[in-house]
């Protein structure tokens, strides 16, 4: 059976009910292709973006490996992350089986925070602090958070 692109696009946007806030996704296109992100907010379309999209917060550069022999300062330095905030079309998201509970992100990353460059920068720094705090205080039995901070291997 052959489908037109519009039919497929409509199918993807209408069938994206499983893309909910807290879902860990992998970006498939653009500058951050292959990087992991967490969905903060979803929308079926608005005046600016007339397609189904999600506001995501992700890791551009993840934490490096640490060993027992490293001192505390070196561990802190190697555990830093670089983050990004972006609106992404549903077509360019690949969901994973993992979900995380990030209530802090919902408060930090809002459409109002994405409006200007200055507020976006402040929100990105807040997300960076939240991700680093979560990385240090993560429990051992949370596979979603562990997967989010690991480098993607394929």
């Amino acid at each position: 059976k052959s489908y037109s692109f519009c039919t497929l696009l409509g199918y993807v946007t209408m069938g994206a009910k499983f893309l909910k806030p807290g879902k860990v996704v992998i970006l498939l296109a653009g500058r951050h292709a292959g990087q992991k992100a967490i969905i903060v907010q979803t929308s079926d379309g608005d005046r600016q973006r007339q397609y189904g999209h999600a506001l995501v917060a992700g890791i551009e550069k993840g934490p490096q490996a640490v060993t027992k022999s490293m001192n505390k300062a070196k561990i802190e330095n190697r555990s830093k992350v670089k983050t990004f905030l972006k609106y992404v079309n549903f077509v360019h998201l690949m969901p994973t089986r993992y979900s995380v509970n990030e209530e802090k992100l919902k408060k930090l990353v809002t459409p109002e925070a994405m409006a200007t460059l200055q507020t976006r920068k402040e929100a990105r720094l807040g997300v960076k602090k939240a991700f680093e705090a979560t990385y240090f205080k993560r429990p051992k039995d949370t596979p979603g958070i562990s997967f989010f901070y690991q480098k993607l291997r394929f």
Side-chain angles (χ1 to χ4, degrees), residues 25-37 56 58-61 82-88 92-93 124 152:
V25 295
I26 298 171
L27 302 182
L28 300 176
R31 177 181 178 178
H32 302 292
Q35 294 171 345
K36 296 176 190 169
V56 297
I59 294 182
E60 192 168 339
K61 184 180 173 201
K82 186 175 180 184
T83 58
F84 66 89
L85 303 174
K86 190 170 183 161
Y87 283 104
V88 184
H92 305 304
L93 295 176
R124 191 173 54 80
L152 192 61

Side-chain angles (χ1 to χ4, degrees), residues 101-112:
N101 187 8
E102 285 294 330
E103 294 299 323
K104 292 179 190 174
L105 291 180
K106 289 182 184 178
K107 295 174 185 168
L108 292 170
V109 184
T110 61
E112 293 80 29

Side-chain angles (χ1 to χ4, degrees), residues 114-129:
M114 297 290 287
T116 65
L117 188 63
Q118 185 63 31
T119 55
R120 186 181 295 200
K121 201 175 216 180
E122 291 169 5
R124 191 173 54 80
L125 289 175
V127 168
K128 175 184 170 75
K129 289 180 182 178

Side-chain angles (χ1 to χ4, degrees), residues 2-154:
S2 97
Y3 295 102
S4 70
F5 182 71
C6 294
T7 308
L8 289 174
L9 187 63
Y11 171 74
V12 170
T13 55
M14 295 303 287
K17 304 243 187 280
F18 50 86
L19 293 174
K20 293 186 172 141
K23 185 67 123 170
V24 178
V25 295
I26 298 171
L27 302 182
L28 300 176
R31 177 181 178 178
H32 302 292
Q35 294 171 345
K36 296 176 190 169
I38 298 173
I39 295 178
V40 179
Q41 187 178 9
T42 60
S43 174
D44 286 333
D46 55 16
R47 197 170 269 250
Q48 283 184 321
R49 295 170 188 83
Q50 298 177 357
Y51 49 86
H53 60 275
L55 176 57
V56 297
I59 294 182
E60 192 168 339
K61 184 180 173 201
Q64 297 175 317
V66 295
T67 61
K68 286 184 180 179
S69 62
M70 292 181 186
N71 62 14
K72 191 174 181 180
K74 189 161 191 173
I75 289 173
E76 275 187 29
N77 195 29
R78 291 176 68 90
S79 298
K80 291 184 179 177
V81 296
K82 186 175 180 184
T83 58
F84 66 89
L85 303 174
K86 190 170 183 161
Y87 283 104
V88 184
N89 191 330
F90 285 149
V91 176
H92 305 304
L93 295 176
M94 183 174 76
T96 63
R97 62 182 173 174
Y98 300 107
S99 293
V100 293
N101 187 8
E102 285 294 330
E103 294 299 323
K104 292 179 190 174
L105 291 180
K106 289 182 184 178
K107 295 174 185 168
L108 292 170
V109 184
T110 61
E112 293 80 29
M114 297 290 287
T116 65
L117 188 63
Q118 185 63 31
T119 55
R120 186 181 295 200
K121 201 175 216 180
E122 291 169 5
R124 191 173 54 80
L125 289 175
V127 168
K128 175 184 170 75
K129 289 180 182 178
F131 280 170
E132 287 175 359
T134 307
Y135 179 71
F136 274 120
K137 296 176 184 171
R138 70 188 186 282
K140 295 286 183 194
D141 58 344
T142 52
I145 295 174
S146 300
F147 172 76
F148 182 63
Y149 290 105
Q150 287 174 357
K151 196 170 187 179
L152 192 61
R153 302 280 182 196
F154 58 91

